[in-house]
């Protein structure tokens, strides 16, 4: 297990000041720490404070001596880990053991695993614009590596950037990341900027960016607020019974809309300076003064228009712009709306220890606090917390899609080790004990302050996706963590760290999360009608307005409740039986005629199918007993590729139709093998062929290299889960060996 020596308290404070996470008065870069081009990767360190991951750049020999670089740092930075080659596996189980041998070295001292959680290309711009406006000191190490990352992800042919790292160039991605490069000091005459500008102009210029792009550009002062469709905070004044009240929206949508509406109402614009004057001339296809911004409220590049605005929303926006704002919206109404939205912003900050739900509303909340309070405690805390989202890798510095995946990955790793039988080896007990200690520490122990006022779902007993500081209940994260805890604690070799009472609290939360449809959503039960999608203003995302039933979430709950029922048959038995029965009915209904399930959080049919077949097996439905399971197996076997593996493109998520990747993928292959193994598919031959492909791609030291992107959200944006390439191959190889015997690896 890799360990890093932390700095002393005094040195830590000095480091935070050097890295700009403490209060600063200037928006300039710290040019003294790094000359130019690329930082010295031997000086980067990952600090893990009870699951809070932050990267730090050391600037003195004394700091380097006190805090030596850990193996985990080197791995995540793409440096040589120094780990030796392992004996070549002769069987599938040996390959699983080699994989765990490598992955175990990446465990961090608190017991969790870290990784980048990247993919979206619209996150860094919001942060950098907010840093710029709030005069937050941006260290040279950060500025250099952010630029390096954006250049590494710039489209090699057209010079633009997309919505996500594997997508085509869009006006959104290109305009926003061009702004980042310029704000961080890149010259407009740089050939790469000239190329990016040319691509942006081909897409229509910044006037053809989506709603979120126009919002950020207006705040910066390089676009006029007239171009931004209304974001009225008055919606937060609506009574709760109103069908469109924001508390009914999906949590990410409402927590972004909250500070966005506040800033929109305040009509904040950063004071114009020489740089923003230049940007006004660079972003558009005509002189800035000649643009009728009001006429461009609905202008959008076809590449960005994934979910076009409905006629309903266009009509409402017209009424807000032409009737409500100029004639009916009094200053008293606006003040009352702003006052209440700011209270809700403060509640979000307090309930998450300023970590916030994610990297979109986090910078917006920081900006809202800065506009309202100036330099204040809240602004300082937000500045510190922005570091939670930043990640450094061989390409540079990026912004993660949350503050990490700590709980999620740790729970899956425990399950993989136990279910493969690897956990029976005493060698892995210290690693598993640390993982259990982490899950115990991260269980949420109290509900939110003023939960009802904050419109938050109960969370006592739940687990979040990342850390308990972030503190949002997630149905499948709670399910997988609870299952992992029970798996370990039923083994007499491990202590009971999570008491029966606390396990019951987790079950209690899960039982509150079932929808009227009998399926399960992600953060909370569905609160609003799907008709709210008529008000979807984001344009680049689909199905974002309300919580939906998700096969992955529902199946995780079913599997865990079934497991818990075996472990504790006396606790709320009738309710658990009913919830499982009803949820299984939903899973059956969600299956398509071809035998598949559509995945909303991973790519795509392989991901959902793995969970669905595991949950059906937990209630006794397997290949032998169930026609629907046989149809699911046929769906996968019909799509097995010539080399024995499976490879699914992210286009499956966008189109809803299974789309082959150009080549098979280790993670897709492992998911599909696990689906077939859960189904008890009787012929081991196609599974063995697939697993041998996984073995063939394993490196001599036990690792697997990163392949195509694995995750998705909102149908159109892809995101990485780099630890999946360890967890699921290990699990698939080991489970096969348990079911069918330990076959030769080649």
């Amino acid at each position: 297990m890799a360990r890093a020596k932390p700095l002393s308290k005094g040195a830590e404070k000095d480091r935070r000041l050097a890295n700009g996470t403490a209060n600063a008065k200037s928006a300039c870069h710290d040019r003294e720490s790094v000359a130019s081009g690329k930082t010295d990767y031997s000086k980067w360190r990952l600090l893990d404070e009870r699951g809070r991951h932050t990267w730090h750049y050391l600037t003195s020999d004394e700091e380097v001596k006190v805090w030596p670089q850990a193996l985990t740092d080197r791995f995540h930075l793409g440096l040589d880990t120094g780990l030796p080659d392992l004996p070549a596996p002769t069987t599938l189980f040996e390959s699983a053991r080699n994989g765990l041998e490598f992955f175990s070295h990446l465990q961090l001292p608190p017991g969790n695993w870290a990784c980048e959680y990247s993919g979206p290309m619209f996150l860094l711009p919001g942060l950098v614009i907010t840093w710029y406006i709030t005069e937050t000191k941006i260290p040279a190490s950060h500025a250099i590596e952010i630029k390096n990352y954006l250049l590494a992800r710039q489209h090699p042919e057209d010079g633009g950037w997309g919505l996500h790292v594997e997508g085509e160039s869009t006006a959104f991605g290109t305009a926003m990341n061009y702004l980042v490069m310029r704000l961080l000091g890149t010259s407009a005459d740089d050939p790469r900027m000239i190329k990016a500008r040319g691509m942006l102009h081909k897409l229509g210029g910044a006037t053809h960016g989506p709603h979120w792009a126009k919002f950020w550009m207006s705040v910066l002062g390089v676009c006029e607020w007239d171009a931004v469709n209304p974001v009225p905070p008055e919606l937060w004044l609506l009574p709760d019974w109103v069908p469109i009240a924001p508390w009914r929206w999906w949590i990410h949508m409402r927590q972004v809309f909250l500070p966005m509406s506040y800033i929109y109402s305040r009509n904040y614009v950063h004071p114009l300076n020489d740089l923003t004057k230049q940007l006004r001339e660079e972003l558009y296809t005509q002189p800035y003064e000649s643009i009728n911004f009001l006429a461009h409220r609905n202008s959008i590049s076809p590449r960005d228009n994934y979910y076009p605005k409905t006629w309903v929303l266009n009509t409402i926006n017209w009424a807000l712009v032409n009737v409500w704002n100029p004639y009916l919206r009094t200053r008293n109404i606006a003040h009352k709306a702003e006052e209440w939205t700011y209270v809700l912003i403060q509640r979000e900050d307090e309930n998450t220890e300023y970590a916030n739900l994610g990297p979109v509303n986090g910078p917006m909340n920081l900006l809202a606090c800065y506009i309202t309070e100036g330099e204040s405690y809240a602004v300082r805390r937000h500045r510190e917390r922005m570091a939670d989202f930043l990640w450094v890798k061989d390409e540079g510095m990026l912004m993660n899609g949350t503050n990490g995946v700590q709980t999620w990955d740790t729970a899956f790793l425990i399950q993989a080790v136990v279910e493969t039988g690897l956990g029976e080896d005493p060698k892995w007990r210290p690693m598993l004990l640390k993982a259990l200690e982490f899950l115990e520490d991260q269980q949420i122990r109290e509900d939110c302050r003023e939960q009802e006022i904050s419109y938050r779902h109960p969370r006592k007993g739940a687990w979040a996706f990342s850390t308990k500081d972030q503190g949002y209940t997630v149905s499948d994260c709670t399910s997988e963590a609870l299952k992992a805890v029970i798996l370990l604690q039923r083994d007499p070799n491990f202590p009971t760290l999570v008491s029966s009472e606390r396990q019951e609290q987790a079950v209690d939360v899960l039982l509150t999360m079932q929808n009227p449809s009998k399926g399960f959503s992600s953060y909370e039960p569905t609160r609003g009608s799907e008709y709210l999608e008529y008000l979807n203003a984001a344009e680049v995302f689909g199905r974002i307005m309300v919580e939906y039933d998700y096969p992955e979430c529902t199946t995780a709950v079913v599997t865990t409740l079934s497991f818990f029922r075996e472990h504790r048959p006396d606790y709320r038995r009738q309710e658990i039986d009913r919830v499982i029965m009803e949820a299984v009915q939903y899973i059956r209904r969600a299956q398509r005629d071809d035998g598949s399930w559509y995945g909303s959080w991973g790519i795509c049919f392989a991901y959902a199918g793995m969970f669905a077949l595991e949950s059906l097996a937990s209630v006794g439905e397997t290949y032998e007993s169930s026609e629907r399971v046989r149809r699911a197996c046929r769906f996968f076997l019909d799509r097995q590729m010539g080399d024995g593996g499976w490879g699914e493109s992210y286009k499956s998520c966008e189109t809803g139709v299974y789309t082959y990747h150009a080549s098979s993928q280790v993670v897709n292959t492992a998911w599909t093998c696990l689906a077939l193994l859960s189904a008890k598919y009787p012929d081991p031959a196609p599974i063995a062929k697939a697993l041998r492909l996984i073995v063939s791609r394993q490196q001599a030291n036990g690792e697997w290299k990163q392949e195509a992107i694995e995750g998705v959200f909102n149908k159109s944006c892809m995101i990485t889960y780099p630890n999946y390439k360890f967890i699921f191959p290990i699990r698939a190889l080991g489970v096969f060996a348990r079911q069918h015997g330990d076959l030769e690896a080649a």
Side-chain angles (χ1 to χ4, degrees):
M1 186 187 307
R3 297 185 180 275
K5 185 176 181 180
L7 300 177
S8 66
K9 290 184 177 179
E12 171 68 6
K13 181 178 179 181
D14 292 342
R15 189 270 311 148
R16 286 185 175 173
L17 289 169
N19 276 7
T21 55
N23 180 31
K25 296 290 185 182
S26 172
C28 66
H29 312 319
D30 176 6
R31 304 265 181 206
E32 298 179 0
S33 59
V34 182
S36 64
K38 191 173 178 66
T39 61
D40 181 350
Y41 269 32
S42 70
K43 294 183 177 180
W44 283 103
R45 303 290 186 271
L46 177 64
L47 181 65
D48 186 337
E49 301 168 292
R50 296 180 66 183
R52 183 192 178 208
H53 298 159
T54 52
W55 282 94
H56 307 279
Y57 191 72
L58 307 185
T59 57
S60 71
D61 292 339
E62 178 61 24
E63 288 180 319
V64 172
K65 182 179 179 181
V66 171
W67 191 358
Q69 193 169 51
L71 181 151
T72 49
D73 302 331
R74 296 194 295 275
F75 172 78
H76 294 303
L77 293 165
L79 304 176
D80 183 17
T81 63
L83 290 174
D85 290 350
L86 300 171
T90 59
T91 68
L92 299 181
F93 190 76
E94 287 177 6
S95 175
R97 190 166 55 224
N98 281 2
L100 184 59
E101 178 71 39
F102 182 89
F103 194 50
S104 67
H105 289 289
L106 304 184
Q107 189 180 32
L108 293 166
N112 67 101
W113 280 261
C115 66
E116 66 173 288
Y117 187 48
S118 65
M121 293 301 295
F122 56 87
L123 301 177
L124 273 172
L127 175 62
V128 173
I129 289 170
T130 300
W131 275 345
Y132 188 82
I133 291 171
T134 59
E135 299 184 336
T136 299
K137 188 176 181 181
I138 307 173
S141 56
H142 289 49
I144 286 170
E145 294 303 341
I146 288 172
K147 289 188 288 184
N148 285 339
Y149 179 73
L150 293 184
L151 291 174
R153 289 300 177 174
Q154 188 176 24
H155 195 286
E157 296 174 4
D158 61 39
W161 289 271
L163 180 67
H164 58 87
V165 293
E166 293 192 8
E168 64 180 356
S169 296
T170 62
F172 189 16
T174 304
M176 297 301 286
N177 288 295
Y178 181 90
L179 278 174
V180 172
M181 294 295 293
R182 295 285 283 116
L183 292 176
L184 294 180
T186 306
S187 169
D189 296 327
D190 186 299
R192 296 162 296 191
M193 294 300 95
I194 294 172
K195 193 173 185 179
R197 202 159 58 241
M199 184 59 194
L200 176 60
H201 291 177
K202 287 180 183 178
L203 294 169
T207 53
H208 285 63
H211 184 254
W212 286 13
K214 291 170 181 171
F215 167 83
W216 280 116
M217 291 189 295
S218 297
V219 168
L220 184 60
V222 298
C223 180
E224 297 298 316
W225 278 109
D226 284 347
V228 182
N229 271 309
V231 195
E234 297 89 276
L235 286 177
W236 289 99
L237 300 178
L238 292 172
D240 287 351
W241 57 263
V242 175
I244 65 169
W247 76 276
R248 299 180 182 277
W249 302 357
W250 183 47
I251 186 64
H252 279 278
M253 189 61 190
R254 71 174 185 259
Q255 290 295 4
V256 169
F257 175 80
L258 179 65
M260 183 182 280
S261 67
Y262 178 81
I263 296 165
Y264 168 86
S265 185
R266 293 292 299 267
N267 201 34
Y268 178 84
V269 179
H270 183 63
L272 201 61
N273 58 35
D274 289 343
L275 177 56
T276 51
K277 286 179 183 176
Q278 293 172 24
L279 288 169
R280 285 183 168 190
E281 301 307 317
E282 296 167 21
L283 294 169
Y284 302 98
T285 59
Q286 65 187 88
Y288 188 86
E289 295 76 12
S290 69
I291 300 172
N292 179 358
F293 283 95
L294 185 62
H296 284 290
R297 280 192 302 109
N298 296 313
S299 298
I300 184 168
S301 164
R303 290 193 182 186
D304 294 79
N305 204 18
Y306 178 77
Y307 194 95
K309 294 186 294 295
T310 63
W311 68 268
V312 174
L313 182 59
N314 284 331
T315 301
I316 292 172
N317 284 338
W318 181 92
L320 290 170
V321 168
N322 295 289
V323 180
W324 174 254
N325 285 347
Y327 300 115
L328 302 178
R329 188 181 194 247
T330 66
R331 185 58 238 170
N332 183 56
I333 292 174
H335 177 73
K336 188 176 181 181
E338 291 168 6
E339 189 176 59
W340 179 235
T341 53
Y342 196 66
V343 168
L344 293 176
I345 289 169
Q346 291 174 310
R347 290 292 174 272
E348 160 73 355
D349 291 344
E350 293 165 4
N351 284 325
T352 62
E353 296 291 332
Y354 292 86
N356 294 130
L357 175 63
V360 178
N361 78 314
M364 288 184 183
N365 279 19
L366 165 55
L367 183 55
C369 291
Y370 181 81
I371 292 168
T372 307
E373 305 176 19
E375 294 294 339
S376 65
Y377 172 80
V379 169
R380 290 193 295 273
R381 290 287 285 126
H382 272 299
R383 280 194 179 116
E384 292 171 0
R385 281 299 202 175
M386 291 302 104
D388 298 22
F389 298 111
L390 296 173
W391 189 264
V392 187
K393 58 177 295 188
D394 55 348
E395 295 175 319
M397 177 176 278
L398 55 92
M399 196 169 190
N400 279 339
T402 63
N403 62 333
V405 295
Q406 296 88 318
T407 294
W408 183 245
D409 281 356
T410 301
F412 275 134
L413 185 280
I414 290 172
Q415 292 179 37
V417 175
V418 174
E419 291 173 5
T420 57
L422 286 163
E424 297 169 7
D425 186 341
K427 174 180 180 178
W428 306 116
R429 285 177 193 161
M431 176 195 73
L432 291 171
L433 177 59
K434 291 295 294 182
L436 176 61
E437 290 171 347
F438 179 77
L439 291 186
E440 185 278 329
D441 183 56
Q442 293 302 314
Q443 188 181 24
I444 302 170
R445 304 298 303 279
E446 68 285 315
D447 286 324
C448 292
R449 175 190 171 199
E450 298 181 330
Q451 177 175 291
E452 292 77 16
I453 291 176
S454 304
Y455 301 112
R456 289 288 297 273
H457 193 75
R459 66 179 190 176
K460 184 177 181 179
W463 277 271
F465 182 61
S466 54
T467 64
K468 68 179 180 183
D469 274 1
Q470 191 260 7
Y472 274 87
T473 301
V474 186
S475 63
D476 53 355
C477 299
T478 300
S479 299
E480 302 297 354
L482 177 60
K483 181 183 176 185
V485 165
I486 296 173
L487 277 170
L488 283 183
Q489 291 189 170
R490 70 179 183 177
D491 184 334
N493 292 301
F494 293 94
T496 301
L497 301 182
V498 181
S499 66
S500 294
E501 180 183 7
R502 289 170 59 182
Q503 294 173 37
E504 292 168 2
Q505 290 169 355
V507 170
D508 292 343
V509 170
L510 291 175
L511 294 178
T512 68
M513 301 186 76
Q514 191 171 33
N515 290 321
S517 64
K518 309 310 177 185
F520 283 78
S521 305
S522 52
Y523 293 89
E524 57 202 12
T526 301
R527 296 175 171 184
S529 165
E530 189 171 349
Y531 288 116
L532 279 169
E533 290 295 344
Y534 281 102
L535 306 183
N536 181 353
E539 299 160 319
V540 294
F541 305 120
R543 291 170 63 87
I544 66 168
M545 289 301 296
V546 296
E547 279 277 17
Y548 289 93
D549 297 314
Y550 297 112
E552 305 102 300
C553 295
T554 308
T555 53
V557 174
V558 167
T559 301
T560 293
L561 288 181
S562 299
F563 186 62
F564 177 83
R565 183 172 59 182
E566 295 175 7
H567 175 67
R568 287 286 309 280
D570 57 321
Y571 187 72
R572 300 183 70 173
R573 180 58 182 263
Q574 289 185 334
E575 293 168 87
I576 290 174
D577 286 348
R578 175 183 54 78
V579 167
I580 290 173
M581 179 186 67
E582 294 172 342
V584 167
Q585 290 298 326
Y586 161 78
I587 294 167
R588 291 167 178 159
R589 293 195 307 273
Q591 187 180 28
R592 297 183 174 189
D593 291 341
D594 62 7
S596 69
W597 286 268
Y598 175 86
S600 295
W601 302 104
I603 299 173
C604 170
F605 295 97
Y607 184 73
M610 171 184 66
F611 286 107
L613 290 175
E614 181 186 18
S615 67
L616 291 176
S618 75
V619 295
E621 286 196 40
T622 62
Y623 187 89
E624 182 179 4
S625 62
S626 171
E627 170 57 26
R628 73 182 66 257
V629 173
R630 290 193 286 273
R631 279 193 288 122
C633 292
R634 283 197 297 272
F635 174 86
F636 285 127
L637 293 168
D638 287 347
R639 288 158 180 79
Q640 190 169 23
M641 301 176 82
D643 60 6
W646 282 267
E648 192 176 356
S649 165
Y650 74 83
K651 290 292 183 181
S652 292
C653 305
E654 294 181 343
T655 65
V657 177
Y658 190 99
T659 305
Y660 288 95
H661 195 279
S663 60
S664 58
Q665 302 291 306
V666 163
V667 173
N668 273 153
T669 301
W671 285 343
T672 309
C673 289
L674 285 165
L676 295 170
L677 289 165
S678 291
K680 300 293 192 291
Y681 182 70
D683 182 5
I687 309 174
K689 183 178 181 181
L691 292 174
R692 287 179 175 126
L693 171 76
I694 291 176
V695 174
S696 73
R697 295 192 187 171
Q698 189 174 31
Q699 306 300 300
N701 62 3
E703 75 172 308
W704 284 275
K705 296 296 186 180
Q706 185 67 27
E707 297 179 340
I709 206 161
E710 305 94 344
V712 63
F713 60 91
N714 301 136
K715 298 191 72 170
S716 60
C717 195
M718 309 305 137
I719 196 161
T720 59
Y721 287 82
N723 288 336
Y724 281 2
K725 66 179 177 287
F726 298 107
I727 294 167
F728 290 105
I730 290 170
R731 188 173 179 178
L733 289 161
V735 170
F736 181 93
R738 275 199 149 184
Q739 280 192 21
H740 297 286
D742 194 13
L743 302 185
E744 293 182 357

